[in-house]
Amino acid sequence: MKQLFLIRHAKSSWDDPQCQDRDRPLNPRGERQLPPLAHALAHCGAFSGTVYASDALRARRTLEGILPGDLPAQRVQVCPELYTFDYRRLLHWLQRRDDPQDTLALVGHNPALLELAATLLGQPLAKLPTASFVEIRLPVSAWRELGPGQGRLERLLTPRDFSYAQFARKQRKHPDNPGSLPATLTHLLAWMRRLEPGIRTGLDDEFLHQYRVAIRRSRALAEALLDVTPNPTLARSVRHLRQHTRATGRLRDLHVFLAELATWDDTRGTAPPALSAWLRAEADRAHRRFVHRLDGRRYHDHLDEWQRLIESGRFRRLSEQLDARAIRQAVARRIRTFNRHTVELLHTAPDEDIHRLRKQLKRIRYLMELNPEHWRDRLKALRQRQELYGRFQDRHVQIEWLDSFRAQAPAELVAATAPLRGRLSRDKTAIRRQILAQGGLL
């Protein structure tokens, strides 16, 4: 069995009309495409064999930008023959390989790559944008046995699939009518659905983060409307949104912990490699579970029901009751509740009480953002306070994860993680003091 990666070079520059095609460099966007492309290829195992590239400047620069630092030099080759736009020349070149590696990666050009993939798969592929790649499995024991229609498509990933920054580059982030609750919720639902492929790929944590923002905002706005106009159908949808929101929590917490551990040094308590590996394995399991949920019928039924509701005339009439005056009243009620719970907060209060206040703050903010001009100055302070409560929650969850690891780790790893455990506890205590000193909202 052979594994073939066909990688199109990153975005190149056309600024110099006098430049020969072979000498065209990457443009700034192409340079930005390289780190996420390198990460995606490494994740998929593209560098486990030999890597070949065309000698065109844009292909060589792509090669330099994606190669792992520990890849042996003898497994990297630049070949002038790969500077071609004819798939038949690529196919013949592959058939002449006596490379003993079972995996081969090729950095080249369209339309040759796209047409070669279609030939090997026996089916057309729609497109292969710059900085994209195709992974094909081939049931042959030697490269010379390659022929049309033998391959099985494993992956076709574009920058929009593995890089949130590339995905969001041309996305519309706000509804056409930001003052309309149905328009806002419809936009958020469409945004969630557009984010799902990136979540499934699992190569950029920002897809999940943005999904969480969208579904939590949807839930908060729906709950605000439910406060004003009780409705059984709306109440059922709010329950579903709450369930799907909670399902993202475990994976998000692991993403945050892993990202922070990667930046910490000895002064903050370094994590041993065994802890990072354990957390990554937990994150992989959580990701698989969440993707299974996204692919489930119940999830799709719930979102379809939600879409029908928010696009209905009945919902539009309900939402009209949440006018500026009703929003201000709802904000005032939620602030009174938040302040009452804040006054009741003691130094010995359980962490869950602070977590509850964090969720209340977020819902107050989402309500205020329905009429941001009215609360412009207060929104900035609210976001800062919300960030403080969020940091407390992160430390709480990170200590729980660390304790779970330590409970099953050998004695030497328990000792090795003691400084990190102490640092997390001190951080959490300091943040708690800051929260208690804040008082209520004005």
Side-chain angles (χ1 to χ4, degrees), residues 33 37 58 79 112 130 136 143 166 187 200 254 263 279 285 321 348 360 376 379 408:
Q33 289 175 327
L37 175 60
R58 56 192 182 276
C79 303
T130 54
I136 301 173
W143 293 106
Q166 296 294 322
H187 176 80
R200 287 187 179 88
L254 286 160
T263 66
L279 290 169
R285 281 192 285 270
Q321 299 180 46
T348 56
Q360 291 175 359
R376 182 179 297 277
L379 271 170
Q408 55 186 291

Side-chain angles (χ1 to χ4, degrees), residues 230-385:
N231 178 277
T233 304
L234 179 59
R236 184 171 62 249
S237 287
V238 167
R239 283 198 307 274
H240 296 160
L241 290 171
R242 188 180 299 124
Q243 292 166 5
H244 299 310
T245 301
R246 283 200 297 263
T248 66
R250 183 182 182 91
L251 183 54
R252 177 267 178 194
D253 291 337
L254 286 160
H255 285 169
V256 171
F257 199 8
L258 282 164
E260 291 197 13
L261 286 179
T263 66
W264 288 357
D265 55 26
D266 290 335
T267 64
R268 301 199 63 174
T270 303
L275 172 60
S276 297
W278 182 80
L279 290 169
R280 280 193 294 271
E282 290 293 320
D284 288 343
R285 281 192 285 270
H287 176 255
R288 287 194 296 271
R289 282 195 294 271
F290 188 63
V291 169
H292 180 73
R293 186 185 191 93
L294 288 182
D295 292 336
R297 180 174 178 178
R298 178 176 296 182
Y299 171 80
H300 287 282
D301 287 347
H302 288 169
L303 289 199
D304 289 345
E305 179 183 1
W306 176 236
Q307 182 170 359
R308 287 193 297 270
L309 174 63
I310 61 181
E311 291 179 350
S312 67
R314 177 180 52 175
F315 186 83
R316 186 179 64 254
R317 291 188 293 273
L318 284 174
S319 68
E320 288 170 355
Q321 299 180 46
L322 195 64
D323 56 15
R325 179 172 174 272
I327 293 170
R328 288 195 294 271
Q329 290 175 342
V331 168
R333 284 197 303 272
R334 290 187 181 274
I335 287 177
R336 286 195 296 271
T337 301
F338 176 85
N339 287 345
R340 185 176 70 253
H341 290 157
T342 298
V343 169
E344 297 168 353
L345 194 65
L346 303 175
H347 286 275
T348 56
D351 291 354
E352 182 56 36
D353 288 355
I354 296 177
H355 180 47
R356 177 179 61 179
L357 289 171
R358 181 182 70 88
K359 291 188 287 187
Q360 291 175 359
L361 269 178
K362 189 164 292 189
R363 291 168 190 166
I364 292 169
R365 191 193 107 204
Y366 288 156
L367 272 174
M368 287 182 172
E369 288 176 345
L370 283 175
N371 188 6
E373 295 299 324
H374 184 76
W375 283 289
R376 182 179 297 277
D377 295 334
R378 298 178 70 179
L379 271 170
K380 181 178 179 181
L382 194 66
R383 291 189 188 101
Q384 292 172 344
R385 183 181 285 219

